[in-house]
Amino acid sequence: MKFGSMVFCCAIAAFWPAQHASAADAPHTAADDGRIRIQLVSRDEVEISSQIAGKIASLPLRDGDAFRAGQTLASLDCALYNAQLRKAQAEAEAAQQLVQVNTKLAQLHSVGELEVTQASGKAKASAAEVAYMQATVRNCTIAAPFAGRVVKRSAAPDQFVEPGKPLLTIVDTSHLELKMIVPSRWLAWMKPGHPLSVRVDEVGKSYDARVARIGARVDPVTQTVDVTAALVGDMPELLPGMSGWATFATH
């Protein structure tokens, strides 16, 4: 009886590791029917931060909110910067007038060439200050670089921020890619543009896609290679982080 129990326990011990290994390897290797586990990722995910110091005047979007390209994501209270810009513009205008006056006086030999050169140098410095302040004021408003959604809001209105402090983390949901790891032997037939079908678990639907890029190296241990595919068409219901299975067209 003890011998029979020992044989049964050994059989279970031999069966369990094989089954456990199969489950662990499933996302990285082909299933019995040739499917490959995939994950949806965004082509672009950006952490939005301020380039200047100031108090947040507006930060209208919250986690999960959608936005369009060019939409204002955040704005700072820039009354002080606008005042400095007006001052720089006034000084630049005065400096340019001085150049014109000194140039005419030089023609009449009333001032020397040194005065003309000094006035011209001051005018250039004033123009540079105006350009600097204009760039600063433009940074008071932060526009969306692409259409997408907010992943995380890290600040709040009326909060004072320093340059580089994160305000929002945004993700481009209009350009999703599929990441997968396939056996390196598939490189014999897999090329960019190869069609595949992807069934996404979270929505229970299938979508058409094509291979976009193939990794630059093969993993020598697992004999696999990274592959990126692009969805065909616009699927607003899909989100980064969703997963599913890819089935490749007959090759």
Side-chain angles (χ1 to χ4, degrees):
M1 187 64 179
K2 290 184 178 180
F3 177 77
S5 299
M6 184 181 299
V7 173
F8 179 73
C9 292
C10 291
I12 292 178
F15 174 74
W16 167 248
Q19 201 175 40
H20 182 68
S22 176
D25 293 341
H28 306 294
T29 59
D32 292 339
D33 56 2
R35 296 182 303 160
I36 288 291
R37 194 70 177 162
I38 63 93
Q39 184 175 30
L40 290 171
V41 299
S42 174
R43 189 174 65 180
D44 294 305
E45 181 171 331
V46 178
E47 191 174 74
I48 299 295
S49 60
S50 174
Q51 297 187 48
I52 59 176
K55 186 176 73 172
I56 299 175
S58 174
L59 194 65
L61 302 180
R62 296 183 177 274
D63 296 2
D65 284 345
F67 54 84
R68 63 183 184 279
Q71 180 178 337
T72 298
L73 299 179
S75 61
L76 302 181
D77 181 356
C78 282
L80 177 60
Y81 294 124
N82 280 311
Q84 291 175 333
L85 173 59
R86 290 192 295 270
K87 178 183 177 182
Q89 289 171 331
E91 292 175 348
E93 183 179 350
Q96 188 59 42
Q97 289 176 351
L98 181 61
V99 170
Q100 294 173 357
V101 170
N102 281 356
T103 300
K104 291 180 180 180
L105 291 176
Q107 293 172 352
L108 298 174
H109 305 289
S110 297
V111 298
E113 197 66 33
L114 177 61
E115 286 79 359
V116 176
T117 302
Q118 289 177 335
S120 178
K122 185 177 180 180
K124 290 179 180 178
S126 297
E129 181 65 19
V130 170
Y132 172 79
M133 290 310 305
Q134 286 174 335
T136 300
V137 169
R138 283 196 297 269
N139 287 329
C140 292
T141 301
I142 303 174
F146 47 74
R149 297 178 68 175
V150 176
V151 176
K152 179 182 179 182
R153 191 170 88 159
S154 306
D158 296 323
Q159 179 179 341
F160 187 87
V161 294
E162 296 288 348
K165 176 179 173 57
L167 303 178
L168 298 169
T169 302
I170 61 174
V171 64
D172 182 357
T173 54
S174 61
H175 296 90
L176 296 180
E177 295 183 331
L178 312 173
K179 294 291 185 180
M180 66 193 89
I181 302 174
V182 307
S184 59
R185 64 179 181 274
W186 287 17
L187 294 177
W189 53 265
M190 181 181 290
K191 300 292 185 288
H194 193 95
L196 60 144
S197 177
V198 179
R199 184 167 182 82
V200 179
D201 295 339
E202 286 80 358
V203 296
K205 294 172 59 178
S206 296
Y207 303 88
D208 293 330
R210 291 186 178 277
V211 173
R213 299 185 301 278
I214 298 175
R217 65 183 295 272
V218 172
D219 189 304
V221 177
T222 62
Q223 291 297 294
T224 57
V225 63
D226 295 337
V227 173
T228 302
L231 292 165
V232 178
D234 184 24
M235 295 81 178
E237 70 273 18
L238 299 182
L239 297 173
M242 290 182 175
S243 58
W245 291 92
T247 304
F248 286 82
T250 304
H251 53 273

